[in-house]
Amino acid sequence: MDFLLQQAVNGLVLGSVYALYASGFGLVMANLRIFHVAHAAVFTLGAVLAWDLTSHLGWPLPIALPVVAVGAGLVNAAAYVLLIRHLLGRRDWELAAFISSMGGLIALTELAHIRLKGSIARMAPDAFPIKPLSLGPVRITTLHLLMVMLALVMIGATGWILARTQIGREVRTVAFDRRTAALLAIDVDRVSAGVFFVSGAMAGVAASFVAMAFNVISADLGSAYLVIALAAMVVGGFGSVGGMLAGGLLIGLASTFTTGYLGSSYRDLVVFALLLVFLVLRPQGLFRTRIEPTRV
């Protein structure tokens, strides 16, 4: 029973990071209806930047996180401007944007490979004071608490902005129809660049937590978690921030229970099987989301 509770807590901690990564990925999907695979490389660069700031400059992780968020956000916004924006007027822009994003993934991954010099990097052990905490039979650390709290705050703030603010209404209108949004005097390029920035910031923070928790940073780090982010997005529901939080937590629980009871080699198999089940039986995910026009 104690092992079951421990795995459940571990799954919720890991799932909160998955949800943060998936939420950013899903925002881009909802905004442009493209599979932005370069998002994986932004995740990797976020981890590399966190490593640089903590290991080489000696910054504590809490101070490095805002810089990582801004840096990863700017990289993702630049990816929109350089790789995608100029393709939106084409008849086959969805396919062209996907191919262009794939090129961005290759180029950014190579930059990470060059920065890491082809090796595995480790976070500085003193970047964050990891202290164990006991809640009855369950053990958790201060890093786990920071991961869960910051992920929930960022996802909750994003959901509130989308639902309750003028910026959110503009984002939802652009997601519904870019041409209609332009007719309503919305700067669609500014909105999309902003969505990519927020998406990249979420990926950067999630990558920092993954790098700190597992202490392994490689050039293909983001690609290794891309299927998990896609699964969380599908399970939760495209375009639903709350759904992606639920999807991330569910995938996190499935991952930890599979690792704990069957072994880590079965983790990706179970996650992929769960993804296929939802695609066949409930393709809209746990939370059905309809993007509708709104008064701006």
Side-chain angles (χ1 to χ4, degrees):
M1 187 62 180
D2 292 352
F3 182 74
L4 178 67
L5 290 175
Q6 185 65 59
Q7 290 301 104
V9 171
N10 293 342
L12 293 176
V13 172
L14 189 60
S16 65
V17 178
Y18 290 166
L20 189 59
Y21 186 23
S23 295
F25 192 55
L27 284 176
V28 171
M29 179 74 77
N31 185 256
L32 284 179
R33 302 291 196 277
I34 63 169
F35 192 65
H36 180 47
V37 290
H39 191 72
V42 175
F43 182 93
T44 301
L45 290 178
V48 172
L49 180 56
W51 166 68
D52 267 325
L53 294 175
T54 57
S55 298
H56 296 157
L57 298 182
W59 290 17
L61 183 64
I63 295 178
L65 281 176
V67 178
V68 172
V70 172
L74 290 175
V75 170
N76 212 32
Y80 166 74
V81 173
L82 299 176
L83 301 176
I84 296 172
R85 184 180 64 173
H86 61 285
L87 301 173
L88 297 179
R90 294 175 47 150
R91 181 174 300 179
D92 60 343
W93 71 269
E94 294 97 337
L95 177 60
F98 170 74
I99 296 172
S100 183
S101 182
M102 180 66 74
L105 170 65
I106 296 171
L108 293 176
T109 300
E110 186 60 27
L111 286 178
H113 183 79
I114 292 172
R115 180 65 191 92
L116 296 173
K117 299 179 181 178
S119 61
I120 301 296
R122 310 281 181 183
M123 294 285 283
D126 58 347
F128 186 80
I130 301 177
K131 298 180 180 179
L133 303 172
S134 296
L135 301 174
V138 176
R139 293 184 178 275
I140 194 171
T141 68
T142 49
L143 177 63
H144 292 156
L145 289 178
L146 178 63
M147 290 165 65
V148 172
M149 289 189 297
L150 190 54
L152 292 179
V153 167
M154 292 184 70
I155 294 172
T158 301
W160 182 83
I161 290 172
L162 290 175
R164 301 293 182 182
T165 67
Q166 174 66 19
I167 294 174
R169 287 188 285 271
E170 291 181 359
V171 170
R172 286 185 282 123
T173 302
V174 171
F176 175 75
D177 190 313
R178 293 179 67 85
R179 187 170 300 176
T180 300
L183 292 175
L184 293 173
I186 296 175
D187 188 341
V188 293
D189 282 333
R190 176 183 59 83
V191 169
S192 291
V195 167
F196 272 71
F197 177 85
V198 172
S199 171
M202 286 181 161
V205 172
S208 300
F209 285 144
V210 168
M212 194 70 204
F214 297 103
N215 205 22
V216 174
I217 304 170
S218 63
D220 62 347
L221 181 66
S223 299
Y225 285 89
L226 187 62
V227 173
I228 293 177
L230 177 62
M233 185 173 61
V234 170
V235 170
F238 290 99
S240 171
V241 176
M244 282 179 279
L245 173 59
L249 295 177
L250 182 59
I251 295 298
L253 289 170
S255 298
T256 54
F257 279 121
T258 300
T259 301
Y261 287 100
L262 299 178
S264 59
S265 59
Y266 290 94
R267 186 197 67 177
D268 291 343
L269 176 62
V270 171
V271 170
F272 190 68
L274 189 61
L275 170 63
L276 288 179
V277 168
F278 270 84
L279 285 175
V280 173
L281 300 180
R282 191 174 176 83
Q284 73 272 25
L286 293 173
F287 292 80
R288 184 190 299 270
T289 302
R290 295 183 302 171
I291 299 175
E292 299 176 345
T294 182
R295 185 186 298 273
V296 295

